[in-house]
Amino acid sequence: MSSTRKAAAAATALPEGPRPRAGGGGASGTYSVLDFLTDGENDTAGRQLVQLFSGYLYTPVAVAIVELGILGRLAGKALTPEDIAKDAGTDPDATGRLLRAGMAVGLLSGDEDGRFRLSPAGERLGPDAGRLGEMAVLWLEPIREAMVGLAEHVRSGQQVDPAAPGGFWDYLGSHPGEAVKFARAMGYATSRLPGALDAAGYRPPAASRVVDVGGNRGTMLAWLLKALPDAAGVIVDRAEAMATAPDFLGAAGVQHRTELVPGSFFEEVPEGDLHLLSRVLHNWDDKSVRRIVANCAKAGRPGGSLVVVEYVLPAVPEPAAGHLMDVMMMVLYGGRERTLEQHRALIEPCGYALREEFPVGAVDGGQPPLRVLEFART
Ligand SMILES: C[S@@+](CC[C@H](N)C(=O)[O-])C[C@H]1O[C@@H](n2cnc3c(N)ncnc32)[C@H](O)[C@@H]1O
């Protein structure tokens, strides 16, 4: 098996979890209601298929456990369903059933005396659903609905306009609580990038004013400002997306060097000599990408740079994570993931030339999910 195939197979495997005290269970440590349809432990293809079709059970159980704060309540202790229900204000019987389902998905384990505790995977989620638990928020209503409509979308080829009223960004605009949760999830997803880039030896280009375009809470900007200690920073984003930026930038010690500019990158982008577009372009169709990049070029000082972070697709299709992200971009935003050449074809005519391509985030020798594309202002 090639390294990329191995990585893809690993990505479909479900996490190791505890075995129940009695009964069967899957080879992966999680349990599927469809296990009986396989031809046993050695039926690799059958086991892969039942896992694929059990997602509708696993994800909601994990999300409910995160949303109800059960991980935090179980941090460092073992509790009964009644203890948890009393503290969380939930129904005791339903809580017990959810906790037992939590064992089946590998997040919890149970003691003989009816108490539950976190499994190693449950602990990885963090006491108050910090860290990987932030990803639970991606089970947001518009994302669920969009993904459920995938087959219909492929049949009809309908185009989604994320800027249209009722689009995804509008939804976050009218649901500030969800916008904060989305910012936390995005922030967590991006927070591993700076370390991976440092480890891979990437150094950002010199700059005195860095603009994080669609920067959200400024996860990448904080890293750039630490790498460029004399630079000032700007975030331009929708107001609700920047709600957590002051706290985050304050904790990172760069708030005094950062200006927050609420607004749309389709209207105007602040002036600077380094414009960053981190996982922004994949949200948009080609026409919108040209408008965003053209606005960056217009605001770019001579000799400046544009740094793009994306799930750059392999030129020849491979089992890469970017292809999965691509279908989500299609149904949710009308956006798309692109190959290197597709990025160049859109970006270079706006006034940039590719300077460097930097792969980042490969796990176990697999396809690196993300790439940094550094362009010079021409
Ligand atoms: C996928 S998130 C990426 C966030 C951040 N750059 C990162 O890498 O963590 C896309 C961002 O684009 C912002 N955005 C959407 N429409 C925008 C617009 N018209 N003008 C400025 N920002 C916008 C969203 O609010 C969101 O913060």
Side-chain angles (χ1 to χ4, degrees), residues 132-260:
L132 261 168
E134 305 288 7
M135 295 297 107
V137 78
L138 296 181
W139 195 241
L140 278 174
E141 191 184 321
I143 301 182
R144 288 199 303 264
E145 279 179 11
M147 290 304 284
V148 164
L150 177 59
E152 181 48 35
H153 194 102
V154 171
R155 194 174 286 125
S156 70
Q158 77 203 64
Q159 287 304 308
V160 178
D161 177 1
F168 183 69
W169 304 116
D170 238 26
Y171 172 87
L172 293 185
S174 55
H175 294 77
E178 301 289 75
V180 165
K181 285 199 224 163
F182 183 75
R184 282 176 50 180
M186 236 9 265
Y188 174 75
T190 307
S191 63
R192 288 290 181 99
L193 253 183
L197 283 167
D198 282 338
Y202 178 75
R203 299 287 169 264
S208 58
R209 195 164 196 256
V210 181
V211 187
D212 196 353
V213 183
N216 205 271
R217 68 173 193 181
T219 314
M220 290 296 282
L221 183 69
W223 167 68
L224 284 170
L225 291 181
K226 281 183 194 159
L228 303 166
D230 298 323
V234 188
I235 302 176
V236 57
D237 205 319
R238 297 170 58 103
E240 73 277 0
M242 295 190 293
T244 56
D247 283 351
F248 175 76
L249 297 168
V254 295
Q255 195 188 357
H256 61 290
R257 290 198 273 147
T258 308
E259 189 189 337
L260 303 183

Side-chain angles (χ1 to χ4, degrees), residues 169 186 190 214-216 237-238 241 263-266 278-279 283-284:
W169 304 116
M186 236 9 265
T190 307
N216 205 271
D237 205 319
R238 297 170 58 103
S264 172
F265 44 47
F266 289 117
S278 168
R279 281 180 290 174
N283 296 153
W284 302 95

Side-chain angles (χ1 to χ4, degrees), residues 74-87:
L74 286 178
K77 47 187 160 170
L79 295 174
T80 64
E82 291 71 26
D83 296 332
I84 292 178
K86 201 168 159 203
D87 196 34

